[in-house]
Structures are given as structure tokens and as C-alpha cells.
Amino acid sequence: MVVCGICTDQESKYKCPTCKIPYCSIACFKNHKLEPCQPPAAQASNIERKKLPTDNTDEDDTSRLTLNQLTSLAHSPEVVKYLQDPQIRDWVARIDRSTEPEKEIDTARTADPKLEEFIQLLLKTTGHEHN
């Protein structure tokens, strides 16, 4: 049972069309709309992200992917299939948030064979396959 996100007393029957918070009645909806709300994507965008360098001083860095490599990843049905797995997405997010991503990848690769398969697929798709 999903409880009303406004009164927290009743079972919710509806969701706000803007922010998707569950509510049980028109009275709760009107109460909710007294304050502006944001769509879930706007709420998620408020999460602090790492600042990436914007200069081109790393153009010789071979670990950076080219536009063609990024396009290959984006259009790979195998990559898309792996990214539908919540466990893979969790690993990617954990590695992305890590202050030591190389160490986190090494740990993750040994802990999860499926992640290792995904990494090998990424390397193959971008032309960096290791044998």
C-alpha cells in the first residue's frame, strides 16, 4: 500500500502530474499545490555532480573516448541491455562517485563477474579490447 505523501494517513489513489507525489484526495492535492513542486527530473538535477574539465589540455589522453566511440556505445543494443540491470547501474554510479575510481573499478571487477563482462563489452565496443 502506498500512503498519501501529503496527509500520510490514507492510502494514495493518485499522483501529482508534476512531481509524482502520491495523494489520496482532492483536498490533499489542493494542499500540496499551495507550494510549487518540480518534476522528478528537475529534482534529480539538483544532485551535485563532479565538475569535469572543460579545457582541451587532455586531447592526447587515450582514456578519453572520441565522439565515434561514444556513438558506438550509445547505439549498442548489448550495452543498452546491460545498462537496464540495476546492479550494473549501481556499480557505475558508485564508481562515478568514488574519489578513487580506479581502485573502485578493480574491487568491483573482482566482486561481480557480470560487471567484468560489461567492462569487456565496453572495451570491445570502443576498440580497446584486451585479450
Side-chain angles (χ1 to χ4, degrees):
M1 174 175 97
V2 177
V3 178
C4 176
I6 312 304
C7 70
T8 66
D9 291 333
Q10 303 292 322
E11 180 179 357
S12 72
K13 298 175 187 171
Y14 315 100
K15 286 186 179 180
C16 172
T18 305
C19 70
K20 308 299 184 214
I21 190 170
Y23 64 93
C24 65
S25 65
I26 192 71
C28 280
F29 182 70
K30 286 181 178 181
N31 189 23
H32 169 63
K33 284 301 179 180
L34 292 174
E35 297 286 326
C37 59
Q38 298 177 341
Q43 292 170 351
S45 69
N46 291 336
I47 297 171
E48 187 175 325
R49 295 196 173 259
K50 286 193 248 179
K51 296 288 184 193
L52 298 176
T54 55
D55 60 5
N56 291 328
T57 57
D58 293 335
E59 285 184 3
D60 294 332
D61 183 357
T62 59
S63 67
R64 286 186 168 228
L65 298 177
T66 66
L67 182 57
N68 286 339
Q69 290 170 320
L70 291 170
T71 303
S72 295
L73 290 173
H75 291 95
S76 167
E78 295 89 2
V79 170
V80 171
K81 183 178 178 186
Y82 270 99
L83 289 173
Q84 291 172 349
D85 184 324
Q87 189 172 358
I88 294 293
R89 289 195 314 266
D90 184 52
W91 276 118
V92 170
R94 185 185 303 173
I95 292 164
D96 185 51
R97 288 189 307 263
S98 176
T99 57
E100 299 180 273
E102 293 85 3
K103 184 177 178 183
E104 191 71 41
I105 287 173
D106 290 340
T107 302
R109 289 176 93 160
T110 57
D112 190 343
K114 192 170 190 178
L115 180 68
E116 177 62 24
E117 291 172 13
F118 178 59
I119 291 170
Q120 292 303 319
L121 174 63
L122 296 175
L123 292 170
K124 179 180 175 187
T125 305
T126 59
H128 289 98
E129 188 171 17
H130 293 283
N131 293 324

